[in-house]
Amino acid sequence: MCSDVTRRDVVRALGALGIMGALPLPGLAAGRGGAPFSVESLPALEGELTLYLGRGEGGLYEDVINAIRDRNPGLSLQVRRGPTVALANTIVAEAEAGVRQADLFWAVDSGSLGLVSDAGLAQPVPEALGAGLREGFRYDNWVPVSGRIRTLPFNSDRLSLEQIPEDIMALPETDLSVGWAPAYGSFQSFITAMRLLEGEKATREWLLGMKARARQDAGEFGVVMGVSRGEVDLGLANHYYTLRLLSGQPDAPVALAMTRDDAGSLLNASGAMALSERPVAMDFIRYLLTTEVQSYLAREAYEIPMVSGVELPEGLPSEDRIQPPELELTRLADMRPTLDLMRDAGVL
Amino acid sequence: MRKRFTAVTGALALAVSVGFASTSALASGEIGEHVQNLKSNLGTYEQDVGRFTDRLDTMASAYAENGPDAVETDQLIELWEEVKLHAAVEVTYVPVYASIWQGIYGFKEAVDNDSGIERVRAEKAALEAALWQGLGAVKMASKHQASGGSNKGQEAGSAGGDPVDRIITNLEKVTVEHAEGETEEATELVHDTYMEIFEGIEGALIEQDAELVESLEKDFNVTLPQQLEKGAPVSEVTAQVDAMKEKLSRAQELLQKAEESQGDVF
C-alpha cells in the first residue's frame, strides 16, 4: 500500500498543505477523445429490435425512445420495461435457457450492466464510439449514457463554500449538521464507493462519526428541502435535486459544494449495452450518444452528459471543478457488504 | 373516494386485465376455471351479490337491535373468500376489487367499534355500491372476453398509460394486499411503485411544487410502510392511500402543465 501512491493520496497531501488549487486534476473537461456528433450524421435504423429498459420509465427516457422511434419509421422497436436488476437477471436467465430475446439493455444503474457483462453477454463497444466519451468512463462492453453526481447541498444563508471540506472523509470532524437518507439507493452506492476506495474500517468510522451529527430523511429530495429550510447546514444528495429545486425556486438559499476525487463526488451513470451482434443494436446506442439526446437529458433531466463536449446542466460547477474518483462503476453492484456495514454501524 | 370508480371507467382496464386472466393463484388464493368463461357465470356472480346484500341486511339489523356483540363480522370476510365473484372481480378490475375490500373492512370496523347505526348503514351502502360496481365490471369484461379480446399489441412488461394512474392503481393493490394480510407484498409494492414509477416523474414535479414532492416522498418511504408494518386498521391505510391519491391528482395536473413547456428531443 505504501508504495502505491495514487492520485487520491496526492490530493490528500496537497489538501493538507493548503495548495489544492494548484493541483492539476483533470476534471470532466479533460481528455476529450472525439467530437460530439449530431443525429443528422447517423443512418436510419431499420429492422426489428428488442430493448430491455430498466427504470427511467415514466420519465424522459421514454421521450427519447419515442423520438428515436418517430425518426425511424423502418424500425420495429419492442420495449420491455421493469426493475433494472430484475431485467438483468432475466437477460442472464434467458441466455442460459437459450432463448435470448433482448438485443439491447438500457439500465439506470451500472451495477446491473455489470451483472450482464460478467455473464459474457455484452458485445464489445467499437473503439470509435468509446472515444467520444468522457475520459475515465470508457468501457469495453457498455456505454454510459448520462450521469448523476454526489454533491453536498448547503444552506447558503448559513455557510460559505469555503467552510465545507473538499474531502468527504473530513466531514465527521466538522461541527456541521448534516441531512442524509441512508435507505436511498444512491446513498448506498456512495457508501459502496467509499468502501471500495477507503476500505471497510475507514468507512465504518466515517459512518459512526457522521451518525452523531446526521438527521435522517425519507429521501434525498427531503434532504435538500431540509437544507433549504435551514434545518441542517448541509446534506448528502445527488446533484439534480438541488438544480431542480433552484429551477422552481431560484431564491431558495441552497447551493452545491463538491468534494474532490473521493466517494463524495462519485459520478454514477445509466448505460446501454448491445446484446446481439446485429448492427442495429449498436446503432441505436449511437443515437443515445448524439448531441441532441445528450443535450435533451441534460436540459430536461439535469443529467450529466457522458459525451465529451456536450454542455453540463445549468447550475453545476464548471467541468474542471467536477472531479469524480476513478472507479469501475460496475463494481458498485457489490452492495451486500455495504448494507452489512451500514447495519453494523446502526445507520440502516 | 371509493364511489369514484364506476363500471364505465372499469371498462378502460378490461382489455388488459382480461388478457392476463388465468387459473393461477392470485393474492387471495386459487381462482377457478370460471374466470375463463365469465359470461356463463354471470348468474352466479349476481347471486353472490345478493348473498352479500342479504347478509349485510341481517347484520345491520342485528347491530341496530342488539349492538356489536350480536354481529360476527368475520363472517363477511369468510363470505367474500367463498364467493366466485371474488376472483372474477380480482382478475377484471383492481380498483373496484380494492373498493370491495375497503368496504368490507369499513363495515366491519364500524360495527366492531360500535360506531353507531348511521355509520354502519353508510358503510353498508358503500360496500353494496362497490359490489354492484364489481358486478358491472365483470359483465363488461365478459362481453370483451366473449368477443375474443386480448392484450395483443401491448408492449411486453409495460403497464402502459399515465404513470400517475399506474401509481394510483398500485396503491389500490396495496390496500388489497394489506386487507388480505399480505404485509410483505404490500410493503414491497409501495417500495417498487416509488422506485419504478414515482422517481421517474418526481424530477419534473419538483420544479412545479417542491413541497408536494417532499410530502409524497415521505408518504411512500415512511408513513405508508410504517402503517403496513404495524398492521394498522384497513380504514387507516385506506385513508392514507386516499390522501396520497389526492396529492397525486394534483401532481398529474402539474405534470401535464410541465409537459406543455417541454422541448423536443430532435
Side-chain angles (χ1 to χ4, degrees), chain B residues 98-166:
Chain B
S99 297
I100 293 172
W101 268 114
Q102 289 158 15
I104 290 170
Y105 273 88
F107 181 84
K108 178 177 161 52
E109 287 171 15
V111 172
D112 293 349
N113 297 334
D114 199 10
S115 304
I117 189 62
E118 289 305 314
R119 172 76 190 280
V120 168
R121 284 186 180 132
E123 294 293 344
K124 174 176 173 287
L127 173 55
E128 286 173 349
L131 287 163
W132 286 112
Q133 285 164 13
L135 182 63
V138 173
K139 282 182 176 175
M140 295 193 74
S142 73
K143 285 182 190 168
H144 184 81
Q145 191 182 54
S147 65
S150 73
N151 64 331
K152 207 171 175 182
Q154 175 102 3
E155 287 188 337
S158 168
D162 183 274
V164 174
D165 288 340
R166 286 158 50 209

Side-chain angles (χ1 to χ4, degrees), chain A residues 153-157 224 227-228 242 245-246 249-256:
Chain A
F154 66 96
N155 187 292
S156 50
D157 283 348
V224 174
V227 170
S228 171
T242 302
L245 177 64
L246 287 170
Q249 300 178 18
D251 297 330
V254 59
L256 280 180

Side-chain angles (χ1 to χ4, degrees), chain A residues 1-14:
Chain A
M1 276 300 272
C2 294
S3 60
D4 294 334
V5 178
T6 66
R7 189 180 84 182
R8 308 186 60 256
D9 297 324
V10 177
V11 172
R12 291 271 164 74
L14 291 177

Side-chain angles (χ1 to χ4, degrees), chain A residues 165-189:
Chain A
E166 293 189 338
D167 175 0
I168 194 69
M169 303 309 287
L171 197 53
E173 294 154 24
T174 67
D175 58 358
L176 302 171
S177 59
V178 178
W180 69 8
Y184 194 66
S186 288
F187 182 92
Q188 292 166 6
S189 292

Side-chain angles (χ1 to χ4, degrees), chain A residues 55 57-60 63 69 79-81 83 184 218-219 221-222 225 229 241 244 247-248 292 296 299-300 302, chain B residues 155-158 166 195-196 199-204 206-207 210-211 213-214 217 221-222 262-266:
Chain A
R55 291 274 300 283
E57 60 167 330
L60 297 169
D63 295 343
R69 197 182 246 146
V79 184
R80 179 171 183 174
R81 301 167 181 81
Y184 194 66
F221 183 61
M225 289 295 280
R229 287 191 292 263
Y241 291 114
R244 291 273 196 191
S247 171
E292 289 86 349
Y296 179 79
R299 188 176 65 244
E300 301 291 345
Y302 294 85
Chain B
E155 287 188 337
S158 168
R166 286 158 50 209
M195 294 294 291
E196 303 302 328
E199 279 218 324
I201 60 171
E202 70 170 353
I206 288 170
E207 291 164 52
E211 284 73 19
V213 177
E214 187 182 24
E217 191 176 61
N221 292 321
V222 181
Q262 196 172 298
D264 293 330
V265 180
F266 297 128

